[in-house]
Amino acid sequence: AGFSGADLRGVGFKAGELRAVGYTAGELKTGGFTVDELKACGFAATDLRAAKISPVELRQSGFTAEQLKLEGFTAKELIAGFTPSELKAVGFCGLLCYCRSGYEANMAQEIEAICALHQIFGFAKVLPHTGFVYFAFYSPENIQRVNEAVRFDELMFARQMIGVFAHIPNLNRNDRLTQIHEACDTHLSKEFMAQTAVVESADTEDGKELAKFCRKFSVPFRQHLRSHQWLVQRKTKQALVGVTLHAFFEHGSCIHLGVSLPGNRSVHENGIYRLKFPSDAPSRSTLKLEEAIQTFIPKAEQQHYFNGDVSAVDLGACPGGWTYQLVSRGVQVEAIDNGAMDDKLMATGLV
């Protein structure tokens, strides 16, 4: 009703309460809240940067050079607040790409070609029907260089992409956390801290049993990371937020440890878009088109392409899985097929 952030702070409101009703970090800073208060209520480094808070102030409130670098701060911006040793980046020994089972050779060819184009040299390890490809670098690569050269949204066959910093082929099944700890301690800089951490396995028939183990192991894994300050203390609703640490199990005693960065990965855990099957859809194929729409067309643009002024043709439409997606968005559809279409779709008057 016109009261400023300073007014509300003066009568006892906390930064978190004001953020919940729409106040920005800049407005709260102007209102007298400290950087520590803004950080405590959940503002990310990018929010604080937009509020013109300097790297020196961010460092004093607990942000590390590695965190700020991954949020987009340049070395020139950071150098005033951090020592050269603190600016050291995580090194990658390879790239791990998840893919659909059966497409491993295609995935390998694609990642080899892109890496060669940017003079990142290595070789792909490919096993058929495993659901992933590991591209091993001949020598460690800087996280920033790999992130700039290999863009996830330009890959055709990858479901997910992770920069691997450690591969442990002979993990002790009786004490997995000790070897994982040693790998993190060796390869991660002291300033590294992830915002989320996930334990994953390949999306294959063999991987289904392993997935059950991964769900159980994720609890002690995250607890261990938090206890050694490699993972932030607060929990998030989304699986992948900010810099994410991945533990990918090939099998019970073989693991890849890596990092994915926001803006250069799938936003979905395991790289799989989990969609709920509509109860009135005529076939499961409807989910294929829904995933394509949600993946390739930004939400803000979907109304432009799908509305009552648009018509479409569905070739081989029976029983109407794809037509269902179009009709549900108000599109007039010419459905071509010798077979019968779903009665409920025909009753809409749009088919």
Side-chain angles (χ1 to χ4, degrees):
F3 291 102
S4 69
D7 297 326
L8 297 176
R9 183 174 189 264
V11 296
F13 283 103
K14 305 296 184 184
E17 295 174 288
L18 299 183
R19 184 191 181 199
V21 295
Y23 277 80
T24 66
E27 290 170 331
L28 295 181
K29 181 174 182 286
T30 302
F33 287 89
T34 67
V35 178
D36 287 338
E37 289 175 304
L38 298 181
K39 181 185 176 186
C41 74
F43 282 109
T46 45
D47 301 320
L48 302 179
R49 183 190 192 189
K52 302 188 183 306
I53 296 172
S54 71
V56 174
E57 293 176 279
L58 294 176
R59 182 194 188 193
Q60 291 170 346
S61 68
F63 284 99
T64 66
E66 188 66 34
Q67 286 176 295
L68 298 184
K69 180 174 180 289
L70 294 173
E71 291 287 356
F73 284 80
T74 66
K76 187 176 180 180
E77 290 175 298
L78 296 179
I79 201 69
F82 296 87
T83 65
S85 62
E86 289 174 302
L87 295 174
K88 180 182 176 184
V90 179
F92 287 163
C93 61
L95 279 175
L96 183 67
C97 294
Y98 306 172
C99 63
R100 289 183 183 274
S101 178
Y103 288 86
E104 294 81 8
N106 305 83
M107 182 71 257
Q109 290 174 356
E110 185 174 38
I111 198 67
E112 285 175 339
I114 290 176
C115 286
L117 181 66
H118 294 280
Q119 297 187 320
I120 298 174
F121 301 112
F123 61 96
K125 297 181 178 180
V126 185
L127 290 173
H129 304 293
T130 53
F132 71 93
V133 170
Y134 177 56
F135 184 82
F137 300 146
Y138 288 132
S139 58
E141 291 284 352
N142 178 275
I143 186 172
Q144 184 175 2
R145 170 169 153 75
V146 175
N147 189 50
E148 292 174 353
V150 187
R151 303 302 300 170
F152 174 76
D153 57 8
E154 296 175 1
L155 297 175
M156 182 181 297
F157 294 98
R159 282 178 157 179
Q160 184 62 285
M161 184 177 75
I162 299 162
V164 175
F165 61 81
H167 176 216
I168 308 173
N170 297 302
L171 199 62
N172 182 353
R173 290 176 181 248
N174 296 319
D175 187 13
R176 294 182 175 93
L177 286 176
T178 295
Q179 286 175 275
I180 290 173
H181 175 91
E182 290 171 352
C184 290
D185 194 46
T186 299
H187 297 285
L188 297 179
S189 63
K190 293 180 180 179
E191 294 77 28
F192 177 86
M193 184 177 288
Q195 287 181 261
T196 48
V198 293
V199 181
E200 299 171 315
S201 60
D203 181 41
T204 62
E205 287 301 318
D206 291 340
K208 287 181 180 179
E209 284 300 315
L210 190 58
K212 296 177 184 178
F213 158 76
C214 289
R215 285 192 291 272
K216 293 179 181 178
F217 185 71
S218 64
V219 175
F221 176 67
R222 292 188 183 108
Q223 289 174 343
H224 187 86
L225 293 177
R226 288 193 177 98
S227 68
H228 291 84
Q229 297 185 332
W230 284 317
L231 180 64
V232 296
Q233 294 298 322
R234 68 180 185 276
K235 297 180 180 179
T236 60
K237 292 182 180 179
Q238 298 91 351
L240 278 67
V241 176
V243 179
T244 298
L245 200 154
H246 296 253
F248 177 84
F249 279 89
E250 286 190 36
H251 50 75
S253 56
C254 181
I255 191 174
H256 297 267
L257 295 172
V259 172
S260 70
L261 306 181
N264 199 25
R265 66 176 178 216
S266 167
V267 298
H268 307 292
E269 194 169 0
N270 257 66
I272 299 173
Y273 207 132
R274 303 291 183 184
L275 296 168
K276 185 177 180 180
F277 177 64
S279 60
D280 56 341
S283 69
R284 293 197 64 81
S285 67
T286 193
L287 298 179
K288 294 182 180 180
L289 186 56
E290 184 179 1
E291 181 178 353
I293 291 170
Q294 302 298 350
T295 300
F296 295 117
I297 306 177
K299 288 187 181 297
E301 298 178 19
Q302 289 179 17
Q303 184 61 31
H304 171 73
Y305 291 103
F306 305 103
N307 57 67
D309 296 326
V310 174
S311 60
V313 177
D314 186 355
L315 304 178
C318 174
W322 286 26
T323 295
Y324 172 88
Q325 288 296 326
L326 300 170
V327 167
S328 66
R329 291 170 168 83
V331 176
Q332 181 80 39
V333 182
E334 300 283 349
I336 315 298
D337 205 307
N338 290 330
M341 290 291 287
D342 180 73
D343 291 338
K344 287 180 289 185
L345 282 176
M346 298 304 298
T348 64
L350 291 174
V351 184

